[in-house]
Structures are given as structure tokens and as C-alpha cells.
Amino acid sequence: MPLTGRQTLTQYLIEQRRRYPAASGNFNALILDVAMACKAIARAVGQGALAGVHGAQTGELGGNSINVQGETQQKLDVLANDYFLRINEWGGHLAGMASEELEAPYPIPAAYPRGSYLLVFDPLDGSSNIDVNLTVGSIFSILRAPSGDEELSEADFLQAGREQVAAGYALYGPSTMLVLSVGDGVDGFTLDKDLGEFMLTHPRMQVPPSTQEFAINASNSRFWEAPVKRFVDECLAGKSGPREKDFNMRWIASMVAEAHRILTRGGVFLYPRDSKDASKPGRLRLLYEANPIGFLIEQAGGRASTGYGPVLQEQPTQLHQRIGLVFGSRHEVERIERYHAEPQAPSEPNPLFCERSLFRV
Ligand code: AFP
């Protein structure tokens, strides 16, 4: 047993690697670099206004800086993205990176050796929580890079979620945590700030199969599809409705924090496909939000879906592609998929155009 009474992330990775005697150690070194980036971000988040990292980033022309998603970038979005790039580019483990904050993939600079993995990340998820001092996080996904010397292209990143080698997130809340899956369950580590080490505190995390808690941004309800409306209405009807039990609701506006709650005590999260903006079939991004969280949830025995089928089976077509996402306790996600699969009742006829109406056609 280690001296501290708990395993460090490094010790954990060494033990994992012993299962693959031929492994080079590059993968472990990559995870430790990602963990280092998360520690640097945790420090900046923890210092808050003292570090001068609150507020919107100023763009080159003086106004607010806007990212590829058309969203205002916060100073901390830019700093976190920079930490990810700088700390992960030099080690020789990566062939390239892609980030929510960058329009195109980031190839490894020629000064550094090229490795065999790709790193895809959302450096700071839940940006609207920064200035109000609420929980935010980082999400990452690790894929295999194509072998060969050809120049890296966007197509190399367009791999279905089931191809992920590892995925995880860091949570910057009352304590800093790193939650990780290398394809063999999900383990959670808490940062010991004095030692500067992530310590294994939440081994073998499991999503309970049933729940009475759901998370959805109800202000979008007029844009939801019928199966989602039905699911939420039934939850709201509580004991006297068809579900015959009361439900509780939570909304943190940081998916990584919702995922952590669900990995800890169960629940179901929905950011479904909706009709709010015809150019966006959902709010969340497939490659660096839905896929890594989906991988973790499935590794912990939960389910992650588009509402229509497993999200990890989706073949991406664009780096910044958006998608509807539902994940969490298996029984609820399966129920939502069932509602999507059932034939929809025809919508109510518009009374203005009925028999005996003013505008009969
Ligand atoms: P950012 O990627 O801009 O930080 O947004 C966070 C997020 O994509 C996700 O983490 C939340 O679930 C969702 O947005 C919250 O969005 P709204 O509450 O604004 O609908």
C-alpha cells in the first residue's frame, strides 16, 4: 500500500499498464500531461478574480472575442485552451489536437516529435459559470492517430465515440477532481493540493440503473420534440401521473458537473435535439462533449444516447458537429429511446382550419 494510504494517479496508471506488458508508456505520459494541464487550470479557477481571469476576452479589434461556435470567449476559456496546447504539444505522444476554441485541428509543431494519439478537448465547459464562481470543468477524449507521415487532416478526428482509447474530465468545484476511463471502468481522483497529486478517491464509479432525478433546461420546452415533452411531463406529474413517483430536478449549466452528479448518485440529463435553431441539431458538440461523457457513462454502466440510438455509434461528419444528447441511469435513457421509437400521435389540428372554422380551406 502506498505511503499516503491512497494510490496516486501515476501509481494507478503504472498498475493499469502492467496489464499490457508491451505498452511503451507513451499513453501514461499523455494522461499525466493532460492531468498537469487540468491542475494548471484548477489553480487559475481557484484564484478567480485575484488572478485577473474573470470576464470576457478582448478581441483583436477591441470588442469581445468570439470563438468558432459564435460564442463570446471568456478569458479563462482562452487561458485553459492555451494550457492544454502548451502542456500537451511537446511530449511526443500526440499527432495533433482539436479544441472547442479552435476552428481547425492543431498539428504538433515540427520542433516536437509526432506521436500516435489525438487529443480532443473542451478546455473549459460551463463558461457561463466562471464569473459567478460556480463549478466548471474540462473534458477530453483520446483517439488513435492514423499511422504514416501524411499531414494531419480534420478527417482523422472524425471517429465514432466507440473508437475512443480513453476519456475523462476535470471538475473545478469545491474540490478538484479528475474522472477517467481507459476502457476498463471509471475511476475518480481528488487533487491533494499540498502534494500536487491526484489521489484515487472514487474507485469503480457506477451509475445506478434507476433514478428519480432529471436535468434539462426547461426554458427550451417549446422547441422540444414530442417524446421529450412526454418524458418531462410524466416526470412533472409525479406520484399522481403515469410514472407513479415524484421526481426532483437539477440544472447546473455545466454538463461536466451534471455528469459528475449522475456518476455519483444517478439521474438523467437531457440536452435533446430541438427546433430552436434549424442550423444546429442540438446544443452540445459530438467530438469533445457528447463522446467523452458518453464513453464514461457507458463504462460506468449507464447509457448515453441521441434519443434515437447510442451516441457512441454516431459517425461524425464535422469537427464541431452538434448533437442531441441524453445520458444517465439506464432505465430512464431506455425509456426516452422507447418514446422516440414509438409512432408519434398526429399533432392536434389547428382550430382555425377545422370544419366550421373561420378559415376553412
Ligand atoms: P460552454 O461550452 O459554452 O461552456 O457551454 C456549456 C454547455 O455546452 C453545457 O456544459 C451545458 O449543459 C450547456 O452549455 C448549458 O446551456 P444553457 O443552460 O445555456 O442552455
Side-chain angles (χ1 to χ4, degrees):
M1 173 61 74
L3 280 179
T4 53
R6 290 188 191 277
Q7 221 174 20
T8 65
L9 176 63
T10 312
Q11 288 164 334
Y12 165 90
L13 290 170
I14 290 170
E15 270 198 1
Q16 290 279 329
R17 190 181 145 205
R18 287 189 182 135
R19 296 189 297 130
Y20 305 98
S24 64
N26 274 338
F27 176 75
N28 283 5
L30 168 58
I31 299 281
L32 291 174
D33 280 352
V34 170
M36 185 65 212
C38 296
K39 283 192 261 189
I41 298 168
R43 189 182 55 180
V45 171
Q47 289 174 342
L50 291 175
V53 292
H54 280 184
Q57 175 81 8
T58 308
E60 279 166 23
L61 301 175
N64 287 346
S65 167
I66 307 292
N67 71 7
V68 55
Q69 324 282 342
E71 297 161 349
T72 300
Q73 279 185 311
Q74 302 297 306
K75 285 182 187 156
L76 211 52
D77 285 324
V78 176
L79 185 74
N81 188 57
D82 229 52
Y83 282 151
F84 257 87
L85 295 179
R86 296 291 88 79
I87 293 173
N88 289 292
E89 69 185 350
W90 67 276
H93 323 304
L94 290 175
M97 295 183 248
S99 163
E100 181 191 3
E101 302 300 332
L102 300 175
E103 185 159 7
Y106 179 87
I108 296 303
Y112 304 122
R114 177 172 160 160
S116 52
Y117 295 102
L118 300 174
L119 178 64
V120 188
F121 56 88
D122 176 353
L124 208 90
D125 176 66
S127 311
S128 68
N129 282 353
I130 298 170
D131 288 0
V132 290
N133 201 15
L134 293 175
T135 298
V136 289
S138 303
I139 311 175
F140 60 91
S141 158
I142 296 174
L143 300 163
R144 285 190 201 287
S147 50
D149 294 333
E150 295 94 64
E151 213 167 287
L152 198 71
S153 73
E154 176 170 330
D156 298 324
F157 290 84
L158 303 182
Q159 303 183 32
R162 60 170 182 270
E163 306 293 339
Q164 292 171 102
V165 180
Y169 62 79
L171 194 71
Y172 314 116
S175 60
T176 294
M177 287 196 68
L178 185 84
V179 174
L180 177 69
S181 176
V182 296
D184 174 35
V186 178
D187 294 297
F189 302 80
T190 304
L191 182 63
D192 179 328
K193 288 189 176 147
D194 296 328
L195 285 175
E197 288 278 358
F198 280 109
M199 315 298 293
L200 181 60
T201 47
H202 295 61
R204 317 317 285 166
M205 295 175 86
Q206 282 287 317
V207 179
S210 300
T211 184
Q212 288 181 224
E213 197 161 71
F214 69 101
I216 192 164
N217 182 344
S219 71
N220 293 325
S221 60
R222 67 192 182 284
F223 305 114
W224 295 339
E225 294 179 334
V228 172
K229 278 199 181 113
R230 174 182 171 191
F231 176 78
V232 174
D233 283 349
E234 289 180 0
C235 290
L236 296 178
K239 263 202 181 95
S240 51
R243 302 297 307 271
E244 296 174 346
K245 57 180 184 177
D246 288 335
F247 279 79
N248 194 14
M249 206 215 75
R250 287 283 181 275
W251 188 250
I252 307 177
S254 164
M255 185 187 53
V256 71
E258 319 269 7
H260 189 69
R261 186 187 60 247
I262 289 171
L263 275 160
T264 308
R265 69 173 190 216
V268 61
F269 170 96
L270 303 94
Y271 219 123
R273 189 168 88 178
D274 63 28
S275 60
K276 192 172 184 176
D277 176 344
S279 68
K280 294 178 187 159
R283 165 93 164 89
L284 300 172
R285 276 54 58 112
L286 176 57
L287 283 176
Y288 39 82
E289 292 182 320
N291 276 346
I293 295 298
F295 188 77
L296 289 163
I297 293 291
E298 299 238 328
Q299 283 288 325
R303 191 164 172 84
S305 172
T306 60
Y308 296 86
V311 73
L312 299 182
Q313 276 178 26
E314 286 293 311
Q315 176 55 49
T317 52
Q318 287 169 19
L319 199 58
H320 298 289
Q321 180 177 343
R322 296 181 190 248
I323 196 147
L325 181 64
V326 175
F327 68 80
S329 294
R330 201 156 32 83
H331 295 161
E332 296 304 318
V333 179
E334 283 167 356
R335 173 183 289 272
I336 294 165
E337 285 180 326
R338 218 167 45 240
Y339 289 0
H340 281 85
E342 283 174 12
Q344 305 301 311
S347 52
E348 293 284 306
N350 183 332
L352 286 179
F353 296 96
C354 292
E355 292 279 311
R356 282 194 273 157
S357 74
L358 278 177
F359 305 108
R360 195 171 154 209
V361 282

